[in-house]
mmCIF file of all heavy atoms in Angstrom:
data_model
loop_
_atom_site.group_PDB
_atom_site.id
_atom_site.type_symbol
_atom_site.label_atom_id
_atom_site.label_comp_id
_atom_site.label_asym_id
_atom_site.label_seq_id
_atom_site.Cartn_x
_atom_site.Cartn_y
_atom_site.Cartn_z
ATOM 1 N N ASP A 21 -19.002 -10.463 -9.197
ATOM 2 C CA ASP A 21 -18.340 -11.720 -9.517
ATOM 3 C C ASP A 21 -16.835 -11.536 -9.332
ATOM 4 O O ASP A 21 -16.196 -10.734 -9.984
ATOM 5 C CB ASP A 21 -18.654 -12.081 -10.972
ATOM 6 C CG ASP A 21 -18.159 -13.464 -11.320
ATOM 7 O OD1 ASP A 21 -17.379 -14.039 -10.551
ATOM 8 O OD2 ASP A 21 -18.606 -13.997 -12.373
ATOM 9 N N THR A 22 -16.273 -12.301 -8.391
ATOM 10 C CA THR A 22 -14.843 -12.114 -8.072
ATOM 11 C C THR A 22 -13.942 -13.006 -8.943
ATOM 12 O O THR A 22 -12.717 -13.053 -8.741
ATOM 13 C CB THR A 22 -14.579 -12.445 -6.604
ATOM 14 O OG1 THR A 22 -15.091 -13.758 -6.339
ATOM 15 C CG2 THR A 22 -15.217 -11.432 -5.688
ATOM 16 N N ARG A 23 -14.529 -13.710 -9.922
ATOM 17 C CA ARG A 23 -13.709 -14.588 -10.764
ATOM 18 C C ARG A 23 -13.271 -13.887 -12.068
ATOM 19 O O ARG A 23 -12.804 -14.524 -12.984
ATOM 20 C CB ARG A 23 -14.479 -15.852 -11.112
ATOM 21 C CG ARG A 23 -14.791 -16.696 -9.903
ATOM 22 C CD ARG A 23 -15.851 -17.690 -10.212
ATOM 23 N NE ARG A 23 -17.092 -17.038 -10.632
ATOM 24 C CZ ARG A 23 -18.202 -17.681 -10.979
ATOM 25 N NH1 ARG A 23 -18.243 -18.970 -10.941
ATOM 26 N NH2 ARG A 23 -19.276 -16.987 -11.330
ATOM 27 N N ALA A 36 -17.873 0.868 -14.493
ATOM 28 C CA ALA A 36 -18.913 -0.163 -14.701
ATOM 29 C C ALA A 36 -19.291 -0.912 -13.428
ATOM 30 O O ALA A 36 -20.203 -1.741 -13.422
ATOM 31 C CB ALA A 36 -18.430 -1.142 -15.779
ATOM 32 N N ASN A 52 4.926 8.904 -10.663
ATOM 33 C CA ASN A 52 5.389 10.233 -11.091
ATOM 34 C C ASN A 52 6.928 10.259 -11.065
ATOM 35 O O ASN A 52 7.546 11.249 -10.621
ATOM 36 C CB ASN A 52 4.817 11.348 -10.233
ATOM 37 C CG ASN A 52 5.065 12.729 -10.831
ATOM 38 O OD1 ASN A 52 5.088 12.886 -12.040
ATOM 39 N ND2 ASN A 52 5.276 13.722 -9.989
ATOM 40 N N GLU A 82 -3.782 15.155 -11.109
ATOM 41 C CA GLU A 82 -5.073 15.290 -11.810
ATOM 42 C C GLU A 82 -5.350 14.054 -12.690
ATOM 43 O O GLU A 82 -6.497 13.756 -12.982
ATOM 44 C CB GLU A 82 -5.109 16.579 -12.644
ATOM 45 C CG GLU A 82 -5.094 17.859 -11.789
ATOM 46 C CD GLU A 82 -6.017 17.788 -10.575
ATOM 47 O OE1 GLU A 82 -7.099 17.164 -10.641
ATOM 48 O OE2 GLU A 82 -5.656 18.353 -9.500
ATOM 49 N N PHE A 83 -4.288 13.325 -13.047
ATOM 50 C CA PHE A 83 -4.472 12.020 -13.703
ATOM 51 C C PHE A 83 -5.016 10.981 -12.693
ATOM 52 O O PHE A 83 -5.941 10.222 -12.995
ATOM 53 C CB PHE A 83 -3.159 11.530 -14.296
ATOM 54 C CG PHE A 83 -3.163 10.117 -14.792
ATOM 55 C CD1 PHE A 83 -3.770 9.767 -15.980
ATOM 56 C CD2 PHE A 83 -2.540 9.107 -14.039
ATOM 57 C CE1 PHE A 83 -3.790 8.442 -16.432
ATOM 58 C CE2 PHE A 83 -2.556 7.781 -14.458
ATOM 59 C CZ PHE A 83 -3.169 7.470 -15.663
ATOM 60 N N TYR A 102 -5.259 0.969 0.053
ATOM 61 C CA TYR A 102 -3.820 1.167 0.167
ATOM 62 C C TYR A 102 -3.279 1.775 -1.127
ATOM 63 O O TYR A 102 -3.522 1.209 -2.195
ATOM 64 C CB TYR A 102 -3.086 -0.142 0.417
ATOM 65 C CG TYR A 102 -3.431 -0.840 1.716
ATOM 66 C CD1 TYR A 102 -4.615 -1.555 1.864
ATOM 67 C CD2 TYR A 102 -2.538 -0.813 2.780
ATOM 68 C CE1 TYR A 102 -4.900 -2.204 3.035
ATOM 69 C CE2 TYR A 102 -2.831 -1.471 3.983
ATOM 70 C CZ TYR A 102 -4.020 -2.177 4.097
ATOM 71 O OH TYR A 102 -4.315 -2.805 5.266
ATOM 72 N N SER A 136 19.083 -1.471 1.152
ATOM 73 C CA SER A 136 20.179 -0.620 0.688
ATOM 74 C C SER A 136 19.611 0.475 -0.200
ATOM 75 O O SER A 136 18.430 0.436 -0.582
ATOM 76 C CB SER A 136 21.223 -1.439 -0.093
ATOM 77 O OG SER A 136 20.743 -1.654 -1.382
ATOM 78 N N ASP A 153 9.691 3.309 0.160
ATOM 79 C CA ASP A 153 8.445 3.631 -0.495
ATOM 80 C C ASP A 153 7.420 3.949 0.610
ATOM 81 O O ASP A 153 7.668 3.642 1.786
ATOM 82 C CB ASP A 153 7.913 2.479 -1.320
ATOM 83 C CG ASP A 153 8.715 2.281 -2.612
ATOM 84 O OD1 ASP A 153 9.643 3.071 -2.861
ATOM 85 O OD2 ASP A 153 8.389 1.296 -3.349
ATOM 86 N N TYR A 173 7.364 -16.633 18.288
ATOM 87 C CA TYR A 173 8.748 -16.197 18.398
ATOM 88 C C TYR A 173 9.680 -17.373 18.105
ATOM 89 O O TYR A 173 9.328 -18.533 18.313
ATOM 90 C CB TYR A 173 9.039 -15.724 19.826
ATOM 91 C CG TYR A 173 8.444 -14.396 20.217
ATOM 92 C CD1 TYR A 173 7.693 -14.272 21.363
ATOM 93 C CD2 TYR A 173 8.661 -13.265 19.432
ATOM 94 C CE1 TYR A 173 7.176 -13.021 21.750
ATOM 95 C CE2 TYR A 173 8.143 -12.034 19.785
ATOM 96 C CZ TYR A 173 7.390 -11.925 20.940
ATOM 97 O OH TYR A 173 6.884 -10.716 21.303
ATOM 98 N N GLU A 179 14.254 -17.823 24.610
ATOM 99 C CA GLU A 179 15.225 -18.140 25.655
ATOM 100 C C GLU A 179 15.958 -16.879 26.156
ATOM 101 O O GLU A 179 16.291 -16.759 27.336
ATOM 102 C CB GLU A 179 16.232 -19.179 25.159
ATOM 103 C CG GLU A 179 15.690 -20.586 25.356
ATOM 104 C CD GLU A 179 16.269 -21.595 24.397
ATOM 105 O OE1 GLU A 179 17.446 -21.425 24.034
ATOM 106 O OE2 GLU A 179 15.544 -22.507 24.020
#
Side-chain angles (χ1 to χ4, degrees):
D21 189 345
T22 54
R23 296 164 300 180
N52 191 34
E82 294 317 326
F83 170 76
Y102 296 78
S136 79
D153 286 358
Y173 286 130
E179 275 155 32

